[in-house]
Amino acid sequence: MHTETMTPAGTDWQNQALCAQTGAEFFFPEPGSSVREAKRICGMCAIRSACLEYALTHDERFGVWGGMSEKERMALRRTSR
Ligand code: SF4
């Protein structure tokens, strides 16, 4: 089976972040506003799983990471521990 590791050392993976090219405003929306556009971009991002893992590991509370809003990540943390 061919496998590629998604988590290179350090934060090199962030160089491939699609959101870095599109601007942060989608990813840190005003409270209550839509995160749909951010999630759509995450859906096309090559490093989505590494990004989500990073956010969970570092307890990132704000914004969309790896296609999940802060509320969704909180729910995920609750169910996975
Ligand atoms: S998954 Fe989303 S938040 Fe994470 S780097 Fe990619 S575009 Fe940015």
Side-chain angles (χ1 to χ4, degrees), residues 50-60 65-66 73 77:
C51 176
L52 181 59
E53 199 177 303
Y54 176 91
L56 293 173
T57 307
H58 292 81
D59 210 14
E60 291 286 352
W65 288 73
R73 288 196 309 280
R77 261 200 300 269

Side-chain angles (χ1 to χ4, degrees), residues 13 17-20 27 38 41-42 45-48 51-52 64-67:
W13 58 268
L18 212 51
C19 55
F27 291 86
I41 295 168
C42 291
C45 181
I47 54 156
R48 197 177 115 165
C51 176
L52 181 59
V64 173
W65 288 73

Side-chain angles (χ1 to χ4, degrees), residues 26-27 29 33-40 63-64 68-69 72:
F26 287 136
F27 291 86
S33 68
S34 174
V35 294
R36 201 183 329 156
E37 187 62 11
K39 288 183 175 182
R40 194 178 67 79
V64 173
M68 295 185 98
S69 68
E72 288 166 339

